[in-house]
């Protein structure tokens, strides 16, 4: 608890899938009372859920030609989450205001009691704001996320893109 972890890599190398594997691992290896929060800004809630179910069933259930029926997916999700209200999602395809994202993180860590929070991706949070200094915006949100992780004794894991030189954007 109290950790802020940043996973950084170039676009298209599998950061989201790696993050999903971490989400799945946390769900499998922690007891039912340990809640997690998931904020995926590049995909819908349904896609995020199907990704986790796919790990549980060892089948790509998100693909249109998946032969897995909805009842089997629901049953797998119930087994994976070990009960109701353990996994909390915030889905918003595209960028959102920094204060909205930080407010949602605070809500997930506070009232929802999440001990793990996964944010994919931090770069997108600042990409839609009107600023001349993306670096300052990334510094601001990173500092706030670290402070929230510490104050709620939670682990916050974020994804960030890097540029062609391997440097974090901004």
């Amino acid at each position: 608890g109290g950790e802020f972890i940043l996973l950084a890599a170039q676009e298209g190398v599998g950061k989201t899938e790696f993050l999903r594997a971490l989400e799945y691992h946390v769900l499998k290896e922690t007891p039912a009372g340990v809640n997690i929060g998931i904020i995926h800004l590049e995909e819908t809630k349904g896609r995020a859920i199907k990704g986790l179910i796919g790990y549980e069933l060892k089948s790509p259930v998100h693909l249109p030609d998946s032969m897995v029926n909805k009842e089997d997916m629901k049953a797998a999700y119930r087994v994976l989450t070990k009960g109701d209200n353990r996994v909390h999602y915030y889905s918003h395809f595209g960028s959102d205001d920094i204060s909205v994202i930080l407010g949602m993180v605070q809500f997930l860590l506070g009232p929802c009691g999440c001990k793990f929070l996964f944010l994919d991706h931090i770069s997108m949070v600042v990409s839609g704001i009107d600023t001349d200094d993306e670096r300052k915006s990334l510094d601001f949100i990173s500092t706030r996320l670290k402070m929230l992780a510490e104050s709620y004794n939670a682990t916050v894991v974020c994804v960030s893109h890097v540029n062609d030189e391997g440097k974090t954007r901004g």
Side-chain angles (χ1 to χ4, degrees):
E3 293 295 325
F4 173 75
I5 300 165
L6 181 68
L7 306 170
Q10 291 180 332
E11 290 184 45
V13 299
K15 293 178 300 300
T16 297
E17 201 56 42
F18 183 76
L19 191 70
R20 191 180 333 277
L22 289 176
E23 294 163 358
Y24 177 76
H25 178 78
V26 167
L27 284 170
K28 292 299 278 186
E29 300 300 323
T30 58
V34 178
N35 295 347
I36 75 167
I38 297 175
I39 301 173
H40 285 204
L41 298 176
E42 288 188 309
E43 65 184 11
T44 65
K45 176 182 174 182
R47 172 61 182 96
I49 291 170
K50 284 182 178 179
L52 291 171
I53 293 169
Y55 274 101
E56 184 67 14
L57 295 177
K58 297 174 179 46
S59 175
V61 300
H62 65 285
L63 297 177
D65 62 348
S66 170
M67 301 303 288
V68 180
N69 66 49
K70 287 185 182 185
E71 289 308 312
D72 289 342
M73 284 194 268
K74 287 178 185 179
Y77 189 74
R78 281 192 294 278
V79 168
L80 177 61
T81 59
K82 302 173 186 168
D84 294 333
N85 299 318
R86 182 169 183 221
V87 184
H88 301 270
Y89 296 92
Y90 174 74
S91 58
H92 174 80
F93 193 81
S95 60
D96 210 337
D97 185 82
I98 289 176
S99 62
V100 171
I101 296 295
L102 289 173
M104 181 51 60
V105 169
Q106 189 165 12
F107 175 74
L108 291 169
L109 298 180
C112 294
C114 295
K115 286 300 175 189
F116 292 88
L117 183 118
F118 300 92
L119 172 60
D120 184 18
H121 60 83
I122 196 170
S123 309
M124 189 171 254
V125 175
V126 300
S127 68
I129 62 172
D130 185 24
T131 181
D132 293 332
D133 197 342
E134 187 179 72
R135 185 196 58 77
K136 276 188 177 179
S137 297
L138 283 168
D139 285 351
F140 174 80
I141 193 168
S142 297
T143 300
R144 294 305 180 272
L145 289 169
K146 173 62 176 168
M147 290 168 55
L148 288 168
E150 286 178 350
S151 65
Y152 288 101
N153 194 33
T155 300
V156 175
V157 183
C158 295
V159 166
S160 179
H161 290 302
V162 297
N163 62 23
D164 291 337
E165 290 82 44
K167 295 179 181 178
T168 303
R169 288 191 181 162

